[in-house]
């Protein structure tokens, strides 16, 4: 069976106080009850968050089975965030169905949904700051991925849970 690769994009941010060491942002990611990643993610020193998609880096990847047909489903995701702050952006996936019915294949990546944000039912706990707030209403007609800024206090863990929306793929 063919697997799809899922990429979580974003950027970690560390702003150490004078005399303190740079602290990378760490994530432990659980998808559908299985830990898929645990460790440091790309982290830069500074507070100026680069919010453009082209400024983001792949934080981590994991695989899910390829589901074909005209199906949309969700996978529960939990991210434990420690070390410092994070900006979470795109969630991309291969084997996307392109216009005309062709496949993006194993090396082409697109959004997990057919437009709109791939995160639904977002809850963030333990953070000192979150933007946007998970309860903020979003215009249903809007498209694209929301960027999530999550600040975590030293020595604590923030947690972000959501349902990741996945549209079926094509081999």
């Amino acid at each position: 069976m063919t697997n799809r690769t899922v990429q979580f994009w974003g950027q970690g941010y560390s702003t150490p106080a004078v005399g303190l060491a740079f602290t990378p942002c760490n994530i432990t990611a659980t998808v559908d009850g299985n830990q898929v990643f645990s460790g440091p993610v790309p982290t830069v020193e500074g507070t100026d968050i680069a919010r453009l998609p082209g400024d983001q880096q792949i934080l981590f990847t994991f695989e899910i089975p390829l589901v074909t047909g005209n199906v949309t489903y969700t996978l529960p995701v939990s991210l434990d965030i420690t070390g410092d702050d994070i900006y979470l952006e795109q969630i991309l996936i291969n084997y996307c169905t392109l216009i005309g019915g062709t496949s993006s294949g194993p090396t082409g990546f697109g959004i997990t949904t057919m437009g709109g944000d791939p995160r639904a039912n977002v809850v963030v706990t333990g953070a000192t700051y979150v933007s946007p707030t998970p309860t903020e209403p979003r215009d249903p007609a809007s498209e694209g991925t929301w960027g999530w800024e999550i600040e975590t206090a030293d020595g604590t863990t923030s947690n972000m849970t959501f349902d990741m929306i996945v549209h079926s793929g094509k081999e």
Side-chain angles (χ1 to χ4, degrees):
M1 172 179 245
T2 302
N3 282 335
R4 299 175 87 178
T5 302
V6 180
Q7 300 174 334
F8 273 58
W9 287 71
Q11 185 71 62
Y13 291 88
S14 178
T15 319
V18 176
L20 295 179
F22 173 84
T23 306
C25 182
N26 291 278
I27 292 180
T28 298
T30 304
V31 177
D32 202 21
N34 300 303
Q35 183 176 306
V36 297
F37 177 82
S38 184
V41 298
T43 306
V44 296
E45 189 169 343
T47 57
D48 191 19
I49 295 175
R51 296 179 186 276
L52 296 176
D55 296 330
Q56 309 310 309
Q57 298 183 50
I58 296 174
L59 299 176
F60 60 93
T61 65
F62 59 94
E63 292 187 348
I64 61 173
L66 173 64
V67 175
T68 59
N70 190 16
V71 178
T72 299
Y73 61 97
T74 61
L75 294 171
V77 176
S78 176
L79 305 176
D80 288 330
I81 304 157
T82 60
D84 225 316
D85 306 334
I86 189 88
Y87 181 72
L88 300 164
E89 223 330 312
Q90 303 289 327
I91 299 175
L92 302 180
I93 194 166
N94 61 357
Y95 292 105
C96 288
T97 303
L98 304 174
I99 295 173
T102 61
S103 172
S104 66
T107 58
F109 286 82
I111 59 173
T112 61
T113 61
M114 301 299 277
D117 196 315
R119 296 176 193 94
N121 305 314
V122 176
V123 175
V124 179
T125 58
T128 56
Y129 175 80
V130 177
S131 177
T133 59
T135 57
E136 187 174 314
R138 183 170 184 186
D139 180 354
S142 65
E143 292 185 11
T145 301
W146 272 15
W148 289 86
E149 179 183 351
I150 300 172
E151 293 181 5
T152 302
D154 290 342
T156 65
T157 300
S158 296
N159 177 265
M160 177 185 206
T161 60
F162 58 91
D163 293 323
M164 182 175 70
I165 303 165
V166 181
H167 191 75
S168 58
K170 184 174 179 107
E171 268 191 284

